[in-house]
Amino acid sequence: MPLYDVFNGDADGICALQQWRLAHPAESVLITGVKRDIELVQRVTAKAGDEVAIFDIALEKNRSAVMQLLEAGARVIYFDHHYPGEIPQHENFTSIIDTSAEVCSSLLVNQYLNGRFSRWAVVGAFGDSLPRRAEQLAQSLDLSKAEIAQLQQLGECINYNGYGADLSDLHFPPQELCLMIRPYADPLTFIREEARVFAALVQGYESDLDQAMTLQPHLQEDALALYVLPDQPWARRVSGVFANLLAAQFPRRAHALLTEKSGGGYLVSVRAPEVDKQGADRLCLQFATGGGRKAAAGINHLPEDRLDDFVAALRQTFGRA
């Protein structure tokens, strides 16, 4: 019977799926997209007896599609760490969902599989901006400092590759990158054997970040800062990693990155302060296309006439920090 793998196109989604398919080798239909493309379950056309595995996309945005799959007789397993809303209760539905700030989908799969492919979980955690958890897990695996640094770079670069308005912005479509990674049980082997792919990701990451570092904040206060990025592919690609870098450099400050969209409005990325990783989801859920998790969230479309409302909500959420 057909198998479907539905996953976020960022590092956490890809590394969560990588662990799952290493543990359960099988041909499957891959359904993914850019990082912000999360209403993916509706693309599945499963029937009774089919199996659907879902990684790192918010259940809240996919609940009706999940219910349709369950009503059709499909079996669904769901790994995620974003705000889920009401979780379905169904005999064919297995949910491993934890919204704690220091959790990501790769770590949830790693725990479920009893640590069988933990190095990929390290990559996913680094990519999802959880360096403390990633370091803890890496150190338990007796990796050298140089090896841990390589896994961190890989995670950050895979995550960077997922950002864009559409697939044309990305260096590698997530489905293609997933298949490149698939043969490798050890991410260090992937880095060595697929040196061309790894180099392309690193070079793109560094080039885009160099441009972002020239930007000045549009708004800066003790507790928060807001940056506006231009409507350019490099800006769309780098918005997430730039937000993570700012969060690490200024841990007591919240950050919002607004990337201009060609049709007007903004694509928004929000990071809560590193010292208190909560509030990003609460802020973004106040807007129609917002969602995410406590530490990091976003808004797919913020109309220009709601910018002042967003700034007010940003201050109300984080101004106390």
Side-chain angles (χ1 to χ4, degrees), residues 124-141:
F126 272 128
D128 215 45
S129 193
L130 294 175
R132 187 181 67 84
R133 290 295 308 276
E135 287 271 2
Q136 288 176 342
L137 181 55
Q139 290 169 5
S140 74
L141 303 176

Side-chain angles (χ1 to χ4, degrees), residues 14-307:
I14 289 174
C15 292
L17 171 59
Q18 176 69 358
Q19 295 173 79
W20 185 255
R21 282 294 159 224
L22 287 171
H24 306 285
E27 292 293 325
S28 63
V29 178
L30 300 179
I31 298 175
T32 187
V34 298
K35 181 177 174 68
R36 293 299 185 94
D37 193 359
I38 59 173
E39 294 184 27
L40 298 171
V41 181
Q42 61 187 350
R43 302 181 192 174
V44 180
T45 55
K47 58 185 183 302
D50 291 349
E51 297 183 5
V52 183
I54 303 172
F55 306 90
D56 200 44
I57 58 174
L59 175 60
E60 182 199 26
K61 304 293 187 182
N62 291 277
R63 187 184 303 105
S64 62
V66 167
M67 292 306 302
Q68 289 179 8
L69 293 177
L70 295 173
E71 290 166 3
R75 296 191 297 275
V76 178
I77 186 166
Y78 210 116
F79 293 90
D80 190 47
H81 63 128
H82 302 90
Y83 173 74
E86 183 180 354
I87 298 176
Q89 302 298 313
H90 194 284
E91 61 181 358
N92 285 347
F93 185 69
T94 301
S95 64
I96 300 89
I97 296 175
D98 184 343
T99 62
S100 302
E102 289 291 306
V103 168
C104 65
S105 300
S106 291
L107 292 173
L108 293 175
V109 175
N110 179 64
Q111 183 179 34
Y112 190 86
L113 297 176
N114 297 314
R116 289 179 61 186
F117 304 100
S118 293
R119 291 186 178 192
W120 280 111
V122 171
V123 175
F126 272 128
D128 215 45
S129 193
L130 294 175
R132 187 181 67 84
R133 290 295 308 276
E135 287 271 2
Q136 288 176 342
L137 181 55
Q139 290 169 5
S140 74
L141 303 176
D142 198 30
L143 292 162
S144 70
K145 288 185 178 180
E147 289 171 331
I148 294 173
Q150 281 189 299
L151 297 184
Q152 179 171 2
Q153 189 175 39
L154 178 61
E156 291 173 348
C157 286
I158 293 175
N159 200 60
Y160 149 82
N161 182 74
Y163 281 87
D166 53 49
L167 295 178
S168 67
D169 281 340
L170 311 188
H171 296 292
F172 299 98
Q175 180 173 336
E176 180 181 328
L177 187 56
C178 174
L179 293 175
M180 292 176 183
I181 287 169
R182 180 64 56 86
Y184 300 100
D186 185 345
L188 294 171
T189 306
F190 168 77
I191 290 172
R192 183 174 63 252
E193 296 296 324
E194 303 289 347
R196 179 190 62 83
V197 175
F198 183 58
L201 291 172
V202 172
Q203 290 166 9
Y205 177 102
E206 292 177 347
S207 175
D208 289 350
L209 192 56
D210 284 345
Q211 294 194 72
M213 294 300 291
T214 68
L215 296 173
Q216 296 299 313
H218 179 78
L219 170 69
Q220 182 173 310
E221 301 174 358
D222 288 344
L224 55 90
L226 184 149
Y227 288 75
V228 177
L229 281 65
D231 175 23
Q232 296 290 332
W234 72 264
R236 293 189 288 270
R237 287 194 299 262
V238 83
S239 61
V241 294
F242 185 42
N244 292 341
L245 179 63
L246 290 170
Q249 288 182 338
F250 304 97
R252 304 193 66 83
R253 201 166 75 183
H255 294 87
L257 272 64
L258 279 62
T259 305
E260 296 173 340
K261 300 176 70 173
S262 58
Y266 304 94
L267 183 73
V268 181
S269 292
V270 175
R271 298 295 182 273
E274 287 289 300
V275 297
D276 186 17
K277 291 186 175 183
Q278 55 184 327
D281 57 343
R282 187 170 69 253
L283 166 63
C284 292
L285 284 167
Q286 296 177 48
F287 298 86
T289 59
R293 52 192 175 89
K294 296 176 182 178
I299 303 168
N300 285 341
H301 180 71
L302 178 71
E304 292 176 20
D305 62 6
R306 300 282 324 263
L307 178 57

